[in-house]
Amino acid sequence: RDFNERCAQCSEVNWGLTDGGRFYCRSCHNITERTREVVNTDFITNSRVQTISKGLKKQEKNDGGCEWYICEGFQLVLKKQVEALEALGVCPQMKDEILCNFWRCYLQKSKQAYCKRPAGETVKALSVCESSTDVDSDPERPSLLHLLSLSESEGDLQTDCSFASSVSKVSESTSVYSGSVDGSLYLMKNQKEKLRMTMPMTLSFCYLALLWVREPITLSELLRFVVEGHIPYMNVFQHFPEKMKLCGLDLKIFCVESWPVYEEVFNKMHELAAFLDLPRFPDITESCFLHPDMLCMKYLMEANLPDELHNWTCRVVKKIGIGEVDFLTLMPGNKSTRKVKYDVLAAAVIVVVLKLLFLLDDHYEWLLSEFAEERNKNNTEGGPYFEFKKWYEVVKRSLDVEQKKLDEEKAKYLWRCEKPLFYSVKNKSKVLKRRQMVVNLQNQFGKLSGSVQRAEKPNPSSFQLSWSEENTDGSCFHGHSLKGVLQEKRGLLTAMNPDYWLCTVKLCNEKLCGHLAHYREVEFPQSYHFVLGLFSFLLRIQPSYIHDEVCMIEHRLFNKKLCKKLKYNTVLRK
């Protein structure tokens, strides 16, 4: 009652006392450095004794560990991931100004922190917070969130778990098989509606922040950097402090035994944006890297296709309006707008352009190749004509080599983490000794079998396939001409090919079956399948997702003709 200063965070005057004698704000749970001076006359008269905080003593367990909560573990994962992205060159503001605010908003929306705790409710992990009006609530316990804060300058990100000592009492009976306080409660079935945090969702958080600052990293690149080990994801819990003991259900939450899936991370990102109630994202304009025109240029270079194709991709993008700001910009919660996969959309545009010019029906493209080959033999001036057959052979050879390397790397990947896990101080020496013995045996068997030691991981690159025009073997097709497949008509260059085949006449309901169209390899030409496979490798996704975007673009491009055809078929049936 004697402490009447206003809180530095919320300006309220509503103070309580911790076990350690410090003042904390009951409104926002901010802890001050000010301590209460208590006069104790039990053992010394007329002497003042300043109480000492005992939170750290409560924190330590018999095995040397500390009380920690699942949200604290995920915050450490996010911190490691965003630091890795900063090392890759993203803007420093993404960590403190964007991702940290998204994370705080998530903690508040999911009622794990930054929320008022209604009195009288049962304490549950990830549930509504319980009011704390007495000294028993122990907000003095040093929170790991203070040590692992995404924004170190912002101070302590206290959670409701950090303030409720009664959570520990509940968790003693429910979280027996986990090192964290709320491990078992976290996996309760009734928590699914709260958008429970998972390891794939950490990547959704990162991509959401990258999209907000419009960094030149697509989702496919983000996931590829994860697979290549440039961004912590697999066995990331080995970077946790030693006092954070993981066992039982904690490993089920943080231990990942599969590679992140594009569709899962993408869908969770949109769910997360809607859950956080975020406003309209910054506009994706023509100068932005995520615009189809920019991404098409990148993928044309990586696919070793002629530069002249970029003019055609730009024409298609403009024709069907997929380069408009309102189409590309993310508007969370708006169900009328389509969820844009920027990288997949750009790859699909290139596939449609190749179909417009070369048809890709396993016949017409080979005829054009024979024609271009004859012209190249007699051509002494200008650049060579583009030969689809030669391009196919060069790219397929390189693609097979890279695909084999990728398959071997995945097969050799060690899913067990390098850092041994031990759950008690007594067993630590035994576990370390056993781990060292395993490493020594692996090295000895490796020498006997003659296996090559794993090389250091290469530096990350936006390009997986590189083609240099300086090569004299003619393996680079960037400067090749499209004169063999174009003709001038009314002052404009048009395709010599007057025909076009559609992947599907009628689109499926994406909400019902998950795809706009069904893709079976045997039902489509091999040339079309090869092109899909090429971009499938570059984006590390299934060909069916690119096929969906191709069908969407075709229906936008040939919408009038399709409507006439459908009406004509309806009349015939009648």
Side-chain angles (χ1 to χ4, degrees):
R1 294 178 181 177
D2 299 332
F3 189 49
N4 297 322
E5 293 183 10
R6 291 187 177 274
C7 175
Q9 285 193 9
C10 65
S11 301
E12 295 287 333
V13 182
N14 185 17
W15 298 102
L17 282 176
T18 69
D19 283 351
R22 289 190 181 185
F23 291 100
Y24 75 95
C25 180
R26 290 172 177 168
S27 301
C28 68
H29 308 302
N30 177 38
I31 305 173
T32 66
E33 297 296 328
R34 180 77 174 270
T35 56
R36 181 186 180 187
E37 293 184 345
V38 181
V39 178
N40 193 331
T41 58
D42 293 340
F43 57 96
I44 299 178
T45 22
N46 299 327
S47 66
R48 288 183 177 181
V49 179
Q50 191 174 19
T51 58
I52 302 173
S53 168
K54 55 184 178 181
L56 189 59
K57 294 181 181 179
K58 283 190 174 184
Q59 180 183 353
E60 293 181 354
K61 299 179 181 178
N62 296 331
D63 57 356
C66 66
E67 289 183 354
W68 64 280
Y69 297 84
I70 298 298
C71 61
E72 293 177 311
F74 278 118
Q75 177 161 303
L76 176 58
V77 174
L78 284 172
K79 181 174 182 288
K80 294 293 182 182
Q81 290 176 346
V82 73
E83 286 174 351
L85 287 170
E86 284 186 344
L88 293 177
V90 303
C91 63
Q93 292 79 12
M94 195 191 86
K95 176 183 176 183
D96 296 336
E97 298 179 12
I98 308 300
L99 186 58
C100 185
N101 289 330
F102 286 171
W103 177 241
R104 287 175 174 174
C105 184
Y106 171 78
L107 291 175
Q108 186 179 35
K109 292 280 186 179
S110 58
K111 298 185 178 180
Q112 299 180 66
Y114 307 110
C115 58
K116 294 182 179 179
R117 295 178 288 176
E121 292 199 12
T122 306
V123 179
K124 291 183 180 180
L126 294 183
S127 182
V128 288
C129 315
E130 189 178 14
S131 64
S132 173
T133 57
D134 53 10
V135 181
D136 295 333
S137 60
D138 191 22
E140 183 66 20
R141 185 182 68 82
S143 173
L144 284 174
L145 287 175
H146 172 69
L147 302 175
L148 312 177
S149 173
L150 292 174
S151 178
E152 297 173 359
S153 61
E154 290 293 333
D156 195 357
L157 295 180
Q158 295 284 353
T159 63
D160 66 317
C161 302
S162 303
F163 299 115
S165 63
S166 51
V167 176
S168 303
K169 299 175 183 178
V170 175
S171 62
E172 285 176 2
S173 60
T174 58
S175 190
V176 179
Y177 298 103
S178 64
S180 61
V181 174
D182 58 339
S184 58
L185 289 172
Y186 194 83
L187 294 174
M188 290 176 62
K189 293 182 179 180
N190 59 356
Q191 301 301 329
K192 288 185 177 180
E193 69 275 5
K194 294 193 180 277
L195 196 63
R196 185 173 58 199
M197 192 68 185
T198 59
M199 283 300 294
M201 265 187 66
T202 60
L203 299 177
S204 299
F205 262 103
C206 290
Y207 183 58
L208 202 64
L210 289 170
L211 197 57
W212 183 275
V213 295
R214 295 179 293 183
E215 282 288 338
I217 297 180
T218 60
L219 179 56
S220 58
E221 283 182 319
L222 178 68
L223 300 186
R224 178 166 61 85
F225 291 153
V226 168
V227 174
E228 292 175 354
H230 302 295
I231 297 176
Y233 183 77
M234 311 297 294
N235 299 323
V236 69
F237 54 83
Q238 64 184 341
H239 300 294
F240 286 8
E242 288 196 13
K243 288 191 175 182
M244 291 177 65
K245 303 296 182 182
L246 281 88
C247 61
L249 296 175
D250 301 331
L251 296 177
K252 186 176 180 180
I253 296 171
F254 291 102
C255 185
V256 181
E257 296 182 350
S258 61
W259 302 109
V261 180
Y262 185 103
E263 198 72 12
E264 180 183 3
V265 176
F266 180 80
N267 291 334
K268 282 294 182 183
M269 184 271 291
H270 281 275
E271 288 182 33
L272 184 61
F275 178 75
L276 300 180
D277 197 21
L278 297 177
R280 177 186 168 111
F281 273 52
D283 292 344
I284 305 296
T285 59
E286 292 183 0
S287 60
C288 181
F289 177 82
L290 297 176
H291 194 276
D293 291 346
M294 301 287 283
L295 285 175
C296 282
M297 187 185 303
K298 175 186 181 298
Y299 294 137
L300 286 172
M301 293 176 62
E302 194 165 11
N304 198 16
L305 288 166
D307 299 331
E308 293 182 15
L309 284 175
H310 188 244
N311 295 328
W312 285 82
T313 59
C314 292
R315 288 172 65 177
V316 170
V317 168
K318 186 177 181 180
K319 176 76 174 178
I320 61 179
I322 60 174
E324 300 296 328
V325 173
D326 291 337
F327 178 84
L328 296 172
T329 304
L330 175 61
M331 291 181 280
N334 192 343
K335 296 182 179 180
S336 61
T337 58
R338 193 170 188 271
K339 300 175 182 177
V340 182
K341 303 170 184 174
Y342 303 99
D343 40 10
V344 183
L345 180 67
V349 170
I350 297 175
V351 175
V352 171
V353 168
L354 290 176
K355 286 182 66 180
L356 285 169
L357 299 181
F358 298 95
L359 200 57
L360 302 185
D361 64 345
D362 288 345
H363 178 69
Y364 185 74
E365 63 269 24
W366 307 122
L367 290 178
L368 289 176
S369 295
E370 293 176 2
F371 170 74
E373 186 178 0
E374 291 296 327
R375 293 294 297 267
N376 284 334
K377 290 179 181 178
N378 303 322
N379 184 22
T380 57
E381 298 180 358
Y385 284 20
F386 176 71
E387 299 179 36
F388 186 89
K389 181 180 179 180
K390 188 176 180 181
W391 170 83
Y392 169 83
E393 293 172 349
V394 170
V395 173
K396 188 177 187 306
R397 187 161 52 248
S398 179
L399 185 62
D400 290 343
V401 172
E402 294 298 324
Q403 184 66 56
K404 185 179 179 180
K405 287 182 182 178
L406 179 62
D407 294 340
E408 289 178 354
E409 286 294 325
K410 286 186 176 181
K412 293 178 181 178
Y413 186 81
L414 297 176
W415 293 94
R416 182 176 295 181
C417 65
E418 297 178 0
K419 180 182 178 182
L421 298 175
F422 43 87
Y423 310 115
S424 66
V425 179
K426 296 180 180 179
N427 297 333
K428 181 176 180 179
S429 59
K430 294 181 180 179
V431 173
L432 291 175
K433 188 182 294 184
R434 189 180 303 168
R435 180 62 180 169
Q436 187 61 41
M437 187 184 300
V438 171
V439 172
N440 292 337
L441 287 173
Q442 287 177 343
N443 293 335
Q444 290 176 13
F445 279 113
K447 292 177 181 178
L448 290 173
S449 61
S451 59
V452 181
Q453 293 293 327
R454 181 179 295 182
E456 296 182 2
K457 58 183 179 182
N459 294 328
S461 173
S462 296
F463 292 90
Q464 302 175 70
L465 303 176
S466 58
W467 314 93
S468 176
E469 296 183 10
E470 298 177 357
N471 294 344
T472 57
D473 57 356
S475 60
C476 181
F477 296 86
H478 292 159
H480 286 215
S481 174
L482 295 176
K483 291 181 180 179
V485 296
L486 300 178
Q487 62 180 356
E488 189 173 348
K489 190 176 182 181
R490 296 176 184 176
L492 293 175
L493 288 175
T494 59
M496 294 175 59
N497 167 38
D499 302 321
Y500 190 91
W501 59 272
L502 291 171
C503 294
T504 181
V505 177
K506 188 176 181 180
L507 297 176
C508 298
N509 189 333
E510 193 173 10
K511 294 181 180 179
L512 296 178
C513 61
H515 290 278
L516 291 173
H518 295 282
Y519 177 72
R520 297 186 184 91
E521 181 182 349
V522 294
E523 297 178 356
F524 293 92
Q526 286 300 309
S527 296
Y528 176 73
H529 175 69
F530 171 76
V531 173
L532 285 190
L534 171 61
F535 289 105
S536 171
F537 171 81
L538 296 178
L539 303 183
R540 306 290 176 88
I541 60 173
Q542 294 296 324
S544 57
Y545 294 118
I546 304 176
H547 179 72
D548 282 355
E549 296 295 320
V550 169
C551 295
M552 183 274 295
I553 293 172
E554 288 179 345
H555 276 252
R556 282 175 171 261
L557 194 59
F558 302 105
N559 184 36
K560 294 182 180 179
K561 294 182 179 180
L562 281 171
C563 291
K564 290 181 181 178
K565 185 175 181 179
L566 290 174
K567 288 181 181 179
Y568 177 73
N569 291 337
T570 305
V571 171
L572 287 179
R573 289 176 183 175
K574 290 181 179 180

